[in-house]
């Protein structure tokens, strides 16, 4: 069974601080995505990474796919209250079209 | 354009009753997924439809769960003889298909079994 473990599970920080969320697996994924979900809504895609070692930036968010395509990280610089939400990583299982979702990181940014 | 829509948004049912949840994907999207999310946690894959291919049902937790997709568009997830542990948010997503295409999610149906 392919699993994606996210850490930390919960994170509460002050506005302006930096943070990193990790997504780890012992399995190789064809691609990996990061989503943010707010209460009462479905997840919204932030980024897709497909190449080992790939780094993508989206404003203050930096995403990295591990060289072996087994892990990923999301780094937020100078967090804002609008970054508050549930962050989910999802990998596409090898040889299938099935997305395996991580356990989630609930981020709260305090003003 | 319209996004993925789901209905109903909330459903409260008594234990033992059957429920049907509906998903309208984005027009032209060939892939459709159903997920279950409990208490704001990660998503649990249930079933995947891709075009006219046989669906991947490997995530359905029991034979009380079934899903169909008519005409390659609308999908219905049916839960028979509901149990309290079925209470969760059921999310539908669609994509153009393929392993690197973005999934677009609907707002979900919150199911409460009393």
């Amino acid at each position: 069974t392919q699993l994606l473990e996210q850490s930390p599970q919960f994170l509460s920080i002050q506005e302006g601080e930096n943070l990193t969320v990790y997504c780890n697996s012992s399995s190789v994924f064809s691609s990996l995505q990061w989503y943010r979900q707010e209460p009462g809504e479905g997840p919204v895609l932030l980024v897709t990474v497909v190449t080992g070692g790939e780094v993508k930036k989206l404003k203050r968010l930096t995403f990295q796919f591990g060289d072996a395509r087994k892990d990923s990280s999301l780094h937020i610089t100078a967090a804002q209250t609008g970054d508050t939400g549930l962050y989910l990583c999802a990998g596409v299982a090898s040889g299938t079209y099935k997305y395996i979702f991580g356990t989630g990181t609930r981020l709260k940014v305090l003003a | 354009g319209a996004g993925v829509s789901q209905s109903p948004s909330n459903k409260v049912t008594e234990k033992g009753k059957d429920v049907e949840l509906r998903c309208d994907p984005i027009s032209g999207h060939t892939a459709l997924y159903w997920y279950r999310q409990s208490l704001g946690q990660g998503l649990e894959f249930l079933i995947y439809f891709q075009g006219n291919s046989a669906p991947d049902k490997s995530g359905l937790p029991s034979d009380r769960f079934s899903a169909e997709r008519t005409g390659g568009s609308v999908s219905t997830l049916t839960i028979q003889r509901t149990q309290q542990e079925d209470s969760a948010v059921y999310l539908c997503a669609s994509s153009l298909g393929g392993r690197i295409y973005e999934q677009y999610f609907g707002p979900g149906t919150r199911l409460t079994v009393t």
Side-chain angles (χ1 to χ4, degrees):
Chain A
T1 301
Q2 293 173 299
L3 296 173
L4 273 170
E5 296 288 339
Q6 285 185 239
S7 62
Q9 189 175 358
F10 299 97
L11 190 56
S12 181
I13 61 171
Q14 293 294 132
E15 200 168 29
E17 292 184 355
N18 301 332
L19 68 115
T20 302
V21 177
Y22 299 93
C23 175
N24 295 295
S25 175
S26 58
S27 303
V28 176
F29 292 98
S30 302
S31 66
L32 192 138
Q33 301 181 338
W34 284 92
Y35 295 81
R36 185 173 75 203
Q37 185 180 23
E38 300 191 25
E41 299 180 7
V44 175
L45 179 70
L46 297 174
V47 77
T48 300
V49 287
V50 297
T51 305
E54 183 176 1
V55 176
K56 281 192 174 180
K57 292 192 174 183
L58 181 66
K59 297 183 180 178
R60 295 175 293 102
L61 279 60
T62 302
F63 305 85
Q64 184 163 8
F65 201 12
D67 291 341
R69 292 185 287 126
K70 293 182 179 181
D71 54 82
S72 182
S73 63
L74 157 61
H75 182 78
I76 301 179
T77 303
Q80 300 176 356
T81 55
D83 296 328
T84 293
L86 178 67
Y87 288 81
L88 296 161
C89 61
V92 179
S94 299
T96 77
Y97 292 85
K98 182 164 49 178
Y99 287 79
I100 306 298
F101 275 80
T103 47
T105 294
R106 187 165 297 282
L107 172 65
K108 186 169 186 178
V109 182
L110 305 171
Chain B
V4 178
S5 61
Q6 292 187 244
S7 61
S9 56
N10 282 285
K11 176 73 176 178
V12 180
T13 190
E14 292 181 351
K15 178 181 173 181
K17 295 287 180 70
D18 298 351
V19 295
E20 284 190 354
L21 312 180
R22 177 186 169 105
C23 172
D24 282 88
I26 293 172
S27 178
H29 280 193
T30 59
L32 187 148
Y33 300 77
W34 282 99
Y35 296 92
R36 180 167 69 175
Q37 185 176 34
S38 301
L39 295 173
Q41 299 301 309
L43 277 63
E44 175 189 4
F45 167 82
L46 297 178
I47 188 169
Y48 161 72
F49 296 90
Q50 170 59 43
N52 296 320
S53 301
D56 178 347
K57 304 180 181 181
S58 60
L60 294 178
S62 77
D63 58 8
R64 296 187 295 105
F65 288 73
S66 63
E68 61 178 24
R69 188 178 185 192
T70 54
S73 181
V74 172
S75 178
T76 302
L77 176 68
T78 301
I79 309 174
Q80 296 178 311
R81 304 181 302 281
T82 52
Q83 304 294 313
Q84 288 186 329
E85 59 263 30
D86 299 334
S87 295
V89 175
Y90 289 82
L91 290 159
C92 173
S94 72
S95 75
L96 286 171
R99 289 170 287 179
I100 62 171
Y101 286 106
E102 294 86 345
Q103 294 183 84
Y104 294 85
F105 281 85
T109 293
R110 180 175 295 279
L111 175 66
T112 303
V113 182
T114 61

